[in-house]
Amino acid sequence: MTFLLNGLVFILIGLQLPGVVAGVPTGLRWPLVGYGVLISLAVLGARMLWVYPSAYLPRWLGGSRARSAEAPLAEATLLGWGGMRGVLSLAAALALPLALPTGAAFPQRNPTLLLTFVVILVSLLVQGLTLRSLIGWLGLEADGVAEREEQALRVRLATHMLAYLQGPEAAGQAPAEILGRMQSRYQIRLDRLQRRAAGGPGAVPEATLSPFQKLQEVLIHVERGLLEKLRHEQRTNAELLRKLENELDLEEGRLALDKAS
């Protein structure tokens, strides 16, 4: 929903911009663009003035342990540079009424909107397009926290599922042979995850699919091709096709997890 709303807002920018520019006197357009650039610099400077103290003050006021930690200068710089203008700035400008209670046009509405558009575009094009280069220049790298959290969660899920399959609740859910196959599947996954956690990615051999899983992959591909043919024939309910394709996506996702783990 957030992605759709942001997309609609920037479509609105494109639709409004020609009318806004036409409503600004010709001799005032380029000066307003220059003012918009200056406002962008002021906004960026104000953000930096806020980000740096907010990064350092908690460390200075947090006792000896907090002071001993290295201040995140590079992280603060990236955080300040990444404060691009967008939806909120445009919403504030568009909230200006078209007319006064007397019926007269709202004064300087179009110049205000043009200034806002310039600030948004400058922040997106300059700050946005240089963000990757800034990350490299600052020497920032991924800390691996997300990967470790994902790894821990996978281990927890595999352990829980293995315990469930070995418990009395799963005994009546399927024949013993099927339960044994599923237990073996989760045990293999858990072993791989634990070896990876103990020795790093290099300790785990490249995951391979079993013949059963390979057949599953082939059947998913064949079934997806059949659904595509049915879609072109236009004799099958489109909503039903989407439901079946979603089930195939989930099955492919499960196979991908088996490869990854």
Side-chain angles (χ1 to χ4, degrees):
M1 182 63 69
T2 302
F3 175 79
L4 290 176
L5 288 175
N6 277 303
L8 289 174
V9 167
F10 286 106
I11 290 174
L12 182 61
I13 290 178
L15 294 175
Q16 290 281 321
L17 190 55
V20 169
V21 173
V24 176
T26 305
L28 191 59
R29 293 173 186 174
W30 284 112
L32 282 175
V33 171
Y35 292 143
V37 173
L38 292 177
I39 292 173
S40 299
L41 294 175
V43 169
L44 179 59
R47 182 175 173 86
M48 290 298 189
L49 288 175
W50 168 257
V51 166
Y52 286 126
S54 66
Y56 281 89
L57 282 177
R59 295 171 180 269
W60 292 340
L61 301 177
S64 58
R65 182 178 179 182
R67 285 195 298 270
S68 64
E70 182 181 355
L73 179 62
E75 289 87 345
T77 303
L78 179 63
L79 184 63
W81 191 261
M84 290 166 278
R85 304 298 97 194
V87 175
L88 295 180
S89 301
L90 182 64
L94 290 177
L96 295 175
L98 294 172
L100 297 173
T102 60
F106 192 90
Q108 305 301 321
R109 187 177 189 274
N110 284 327
T112 303
L113 288 174
L114 181 57
L115 283 173
T116 306
F117 289 154
V118 171
V119 172
I120 292 173
L121 291 176
V122 168
S123 67
L124 291 178
L125 294 178
V126 177
Q127 293 170 240
L129 294 180
T130 58
L131 199 57
R132 183 187 181 100
S133 300
L134 180 65
I135 292 173
W137 182 72
L138 292 172
L140 294 173
E141 297 179 354
D143 54 11
V145 172
E147 290 77 6
R148 289 193 294 272
E149 290 180 354
E150 179 183 353
Q151 185 78 2
L153 183 57
R154 287 183 185 275
V155 170
R156 182 176 179 182
L157 289 175
T159 303
H160 177 81
M161 293 306 300
L162 188 59
Y164 175 82
L165 289 169
Q166 294 173 345
E169 295 182 5
Q173 301 294 328
E177 180 183 356
I178 302 299
L179 287 175
R181 289 179 61 187
M182 293 302 297
Q183 289 175 15
S184 299
R185 181 177 180 179
Y186 276 99
Q187 186 63 57
I188 292 173
R189 179 182 298 182
L190 182 59
D191 291 342
R192 287 174 176 169
L193 291 169
Q194 290 175 339
R195 287 200 302 271
R196 180 178 298 171
V204 183
E206 182 67 23
T208 57
L209 293 178
S210 67
F212 176 76
Q213 291 170 327
K214 290 180 180 178
L215 179 59
Q216 275 186 304
E217 202 168 41
V218 172
L219 293 178
I220 289 173
H221 179 73
V222 173
E223 193 170 354
R224 193 180 295 281
L226 177 58
L227 291 177
E228 189 64 26
K229 289 181 180 179
L230 293 175
R231 183 184 302 279
H232 289 307
E233 292 175 1
Q234 297 182 349
R235 289 201 298 263
T236 307
N237 185 283
E239 184 176 352
L240 179 58
L241 286 174
R242 283 194 296 270
K243 180 179 179 181
L244 295 176
E245 287 175 341
N246 182 60
E247 292 177 358
L248 290 179
D249 291 338
L250 293 175
E251 189 63 32
E252 280 186 326
R254 283 191 287 269
L255 286 175
L257 286 177
D258 287 339
K259 290 180 181 180
S261 61

